[in-house]
Amino acid sequence: MDEPSKSRLRGLKSLHRNAFQRSGRAGQPTPAPRESAPPGSATPEPGDAPEPRAASLGSRAAAALRSPGTAMVAVLVVFALVTALVTGRLGGALAGGRLLPTADLATTWGDYLNAWHAVGGGTGAPASPSLAVLALLGSVLGGPSVVVSALLLFGVPLAGLSAYLATRSLATPLRRALVAGAYALLPAAAISAGEGRLDVVVAHVLVPPLLAGIAAVIRRSDGQWLGTACLTALGLAVLGSFAPLVHLSLIALALLAHVLVPGNGLRGRRRAAGLVALVLLPVACLLPWPSVVLGNPEILVHGLGARVVERPTSVLMAVLSPDASLAGVLGALLVLAAILALAVCFDVRMLAGIGVALLGWLVAIVVGTVSAEPLTGGVTSPGWTGGPLVLVAAGCAWIVLVAEVPRLSWKITAPVLAAGLLVLGAGSAIGTASGPLRIHQAAPETGTRLVLEPGPQPARLITGDGPRFGDDDLAPAGTAADWLGQVDEDLLSDDSARVRRALAAVAARGAEHVIVPADSRLPELAHDMVVDDGALTGPTRELRLLIPATPVKLVGPDLARQAQTEPGPAPEARPLPVDAQLPSFTVRISEGGTGRALVLGAENEPGWYAAVNGKRLPLATAWGHQVAVPLPEQAAEVQVGYTELPRTTLLVVQAAVVLFTIIAAIPGRRRRALTGLR
């Protein structure tokens, strides 16, 4: 073979060998540096692999510490600490204004899980799911009172952090930090926190991430859409536990965005499925509370918390002031910033923020002008506009974030921004300090008692150490609210006969004491029915009833017949007290006359049952609205209780839906793309 032929053969073999080797490595990933190595750096060895990872984590931590968001949160934490120390609210359980004292962990769980509640004469209405949220968080953080105090005292930095994290796709970190700080210092939210309005504080913290979640559901069409929808639905459920009106407003925004923003094909189907999840999952997570809201729409007007008499709103609501105070008016800076951004650099992306702000103002107008009676009875008044104004502030912040601001000298902008934040901070501090929120001093338990509250609010029927968080969110059973209002009027009157009959009705409910104003003439008008033990508590004094006042009583045949026809017991009635506690008890009775009965100090509502010697018997009504158990002549064992089956079934469904939502909200592993030669 000649030399040229040999040379061509060697070239073909070399080409075949190179092609085979390359094809064998084609499916293997080839390492490639993500960043160009600096000059003079050494090539890392295989054994040095952990060092770049550690350096990367360290650099990320250092970058996070140097970020504007970290500085913003640190400043807001210092602000919250100083405000809490100055107002004397740091270091204890808080109460005051619309916030009733928070019970311990076991009591909070019991208040939520129990089917029957000894509040206002007894009710089987479902408790607010806010108790479950506080109990779950309190199981980790040291108790429900710790959670409530943390939200009220540190709601400002929490709102700033949530707003900063929720807007990471809208603007630069510096602008996000400035706008999030301004949103966090919203005076309307600070005033609400000072007045113990926990619903507004929760809305202030959750609205920014929930708006971001709704926006992601509207525009997202990748494989993570279900997790995003479930995570947003879980946040909406938490928000609905405290602020149902703001929850419904966000659902309305999501539906409106679905109609206005185009979406076709797979994106449109996934968006529709995500919206169904946003609407239905929170409702299922809150079972059975939504039925209470539907049956008592006044909850949407007044929100959750202790009953108060609200003042009508004013035109200053347009500048984010819920109470027309000077501190609230300072929130106008957020509105002015949004108007300036719209006038100078309008952008189509601002339409979303405009929609949020307009809806917030519309809801605030409705809440501030429509009057309704509180859930547990009382003076008819409008609602508090703090929650809707949080939506307005979020919309204004959205407008400012997406604005293409022209480049200006920092010598001009820095003083203006600093002055604006200082003004907002001053308004927030003044609004927080001016409220009635204080550290609660627990009172000893004194059994069941009727409290005549000063002012226009009707009386309270209290069991245990006093009213606590969630009591005023329980729907009263039957005519309990009307009965309390009538008893309040009778006890405050100067008619001795009315006072004595009202005290007999109070004793029939199981109340052992009556707390009246210090200048009340009730001891003189009732004479032989109460005794003044001289216990003074501020502007009130405590009176002890001298007639049988137990929650369960045995009435004879004559008194039982009167109980079937009369609206209340006579002052001379003396039933026999029975040693039993509601709602469930078992007693053994001896032989007696025909027609006698057990009378319970509870409203007669569906759910009560009684069994005599194991046989279920129909119940009767005593004094027009109380539970009565007819008894036989012979000795028998009587079992009385309140059924928990419907409540337990709904709680199981709720737990299953919550568990599904949490699992679906956990982000799955993302597939890593393998790089190689095509």
Side-chain angles (χ1 to χ4, degrees):
M1 185 179 294
D2 55 359
E3 292 298 330
S5 298
K6 293 180 179 179
S7 176
R8 286 195 296 270
L9 182 60
R10 285 194 297 270
L12 291 174
K13 291 181 178 180
S14 175
L15 179 62
H16 173 75
R17 182 171 58 252
N18 292 337
F20 177 79
Q21 292 174 352
R22 290 180 181 179
S23 63
R25 295 192 302 265
Q28 300 177 1
T30 58
R34 297 186 179 181
E35 298 178 357
S36 58
S41 61
T43 303
E45 296 295 332
D48 300 330
E51 292 183 5
R53 181 183 179 90
S56 175
L57 293 175
S59 62
R60 290 180 183 178
L65 291 175
R66 292 194 302 266
S67 69
T70 304
M72 178 266 299
V73 173
V75 172
L76 293 181
V77 168
V78 173
F79 170 83
L81 277 173
V82 172
T83 305
L85 289 173
V86 171
T87 55
R89 298 171 180 165
L90 193 64
L94 299 176
R98 289 215 70 186
L99 180 66
L100 292 172
T102 310
D104 56 37
L105 184 60
T107 304
T108 302
W109 273 122
D111 289 344
Y112 180 67
L113 298 176
N114 291 339
W116 186 82
H117 311 275
V119 176
T123 178
S128 167
S130 58
L131 292 171
V133 176
L134 294 181
L136 285 171
L137 295 177
S139 301
V140 179
L141 301 178
S145 61
V146 176
V147 178
V148 172
S149 298
L151 286 172
L152 292 174
L153 298 180
F154 296 95
V156 170
L158 289 174
L161 178 62
S162 69
Y164 181 80
L165 296 177
T167 56
R168 56 182 176 272
S169 63
L170 295 180
T172 61
L174 179 58
R175 187 192 295 186
R176 287 164 49 205
L178 292 173
V179 175
Y183 169 81
L185 294 172
L186 177 67
I191 294 171
S192 301
E195 295 184 358
R197 302 179 186 271
L198 192 60
D199 53 343
V200 180
V201 175
V202 173
H204 190 212
V205 174
L206 291 183
V207 161
L210 289 179
L211 286 175
I214 292 172
V217 170
I218 294 297
R219 69 171 184 267
R220 194 162 195 170
S221 60
D222 57 10
Q224 301 295 325
W225 68 272
L226 180 59
T228 302
C230 288
L231 185 61
T232 307
L234 197 62
L236 285 171
V238 175
L239 178 64
S241 302
F242 294 90
L245 182 62
V246 182
H247 170 204
L248 291 180
S249 301
L250 291 180
I251 293 297
L253 280 172
L255 296 176
L256 184 63
H258 175 66
V259 173
L260 297 179
V261 178
N264 300 316
L266 179 62
R267 178 179 179 181
R269 292 193 296 272
R270 287 182 171 176
R271 177 201 291 179
L275 283 176
V276 171
L278 291 184
V279 174
L280 297 183
L281 283 181
V283 175
C285 289
L286 297 176
L287 287 174
W289 175 249
S291 62
V292 179
V293 178
L294 289 176
N296 302 275
E298 60 267 23
I299 296 177
L300 298 176
V301 176
H302 292 285
L304 305 186
R307 58 194 184 189
V308 294
V309 180
E310 306 284 7
R311 291 178 295 179
T313 188
S314 67
V315 294
L316 293 178
M317 178 188 60
V319 292
L320 306 185
S321 176
D323 59 350
S325 64
L326 176 61
V329 172
L330 297 179
L333 292 180
L334 285 172
V335 180
L336 292 177
I339 295 175
L340 184 62
L342 288 171
V344 174
C345 42
F346 176 78
D347 191 288
V348 178
R349 295 179 300 168
M350 295 180 180
L351 293 177
I354 295 174
V356 174
L358 290 179
L359 180 63
W361 267 315
L362 178 62
V363 176
I365 292 173
V366 174
V367 171
T369 55
V370 174
S371 296
E373 184 178 318
L375 179 64
T376 56
V379 180
T380 300
S381 67
W384 177 258
T385 58
L389 292 183
V390 167
L391 284 176
V392 179
C396 293
W398 194 333
I399 294 171
V400 175
L401 275 175
V402 300
E404 294 293 339
V405 181
R407 295 180 177 237
L408 298 174
S409 173
W410 273 103
K411 294 181 179 180
I412 300 175
T413 57
V416 173
L417 292 175
L421 291 175
L422 287 175
V423 170
L424 286 175
S428 180
I430 295 172
T432 303
S434 60
L437 192 67
R438 294 293 181 267
I439 293 180
H440 173 65
Q441 301 295 333
E445 296 188 11
T446 56
T448 303
R449 57 201 182 278
L450 184 82
V451 181
L452 302 182
E453 295 188 343
Q457 296 295 354
R460 285 182 181 273
L461 193 60
I462 299 171
T463 300
D465 57 354
R468 52 181 179 259
F469 183 86
D471 283 1
D472 282 358
D473 304 320
L474 291 167
T479 59
D482 298 333
W483 176 81
L484 280 171
Q486 184 62 48
V487 166
D488 184 80
E489 293 181 9
D490 292 341
L491 293 179
L492 293 177
S493 69
D494 292 331
D495 187 343
S496 178
R498 291 179 60 185
V499 170
R500 290 171 61 83
R501 295 191 69 89
L503 288 176
V506 170
R509 288 291 187 149
E512 304 166 350
H513 300 83
V514 178
I515 299 177
V516 298
D519 57 351
S520 174
R521 296 183 58 232
L522 192 146
E524 305 171 11
L525 298 173
H527 49 90
D528 60 338
M529 298 184 69
V530 297
V531 59
D532 190 351
D533 291 334
L536 289 174
T537 306
T540 63
R541 57 176 170 169
E542 186 172 333
L543 308 176
R544 179 165 51 87
L545 288 172
L546 298 178
I547 54 179
T550 56
V552 182
K553 302 178 182 65
L554 176 63
V555 296
D558 294 337
L559 191 56
R561 284 190 291 270
Q562 293 179 11
Q564 295 177 3
T565 57
E566 298 293 331
E572 298 79 14
R574 292 296 183 268
L576 297 177
V578 177
D579 186 13
Q581 295 296 326
L582 300 178
S584 301
F585 63 90
T586 300
V587 295
R588 184 166 185 82
I589 60 171
S590 59
E591 295 182 2
T594 304
R596 57 184 180 156
L598 287 178
V599 177
L600 311 186
E603 285 284 327
N604 193 354
E605 58 177 332
W608 288 102
Y609 66 88
V612 177
N613 292 330
K615 182 181 178 180
R616 289 284 186 99
L617 295 178
L619 298 176
T621 301
W623 314 126
H625 46 80
Q626 292 183 225
V627 181
V629 181
L631 299 177
E633 297 182 26
Q634 62 273 18
E637 184 180 75
V638 181
Q639 181 183 6
V640 179
Y642 191 89
T643 179
E644 297 187 0
L645 183 60
R647 171 69 172 165
T648 303
T649 303
L650 291 174
L651 287 177
V652 171
V653 174
Q654 179 197 39
V657 175
V658 170
L659 184 61
F660 164 78
T661 308
I662 292 176
I663 293 175
I666 298 175
R669 294 183 178 180
R670 298 193 179 190
R671 297 180 179 178
R672 296 181 178 179
L674 299 179
T675 59
L677 298 177
R678 295 291 181 182

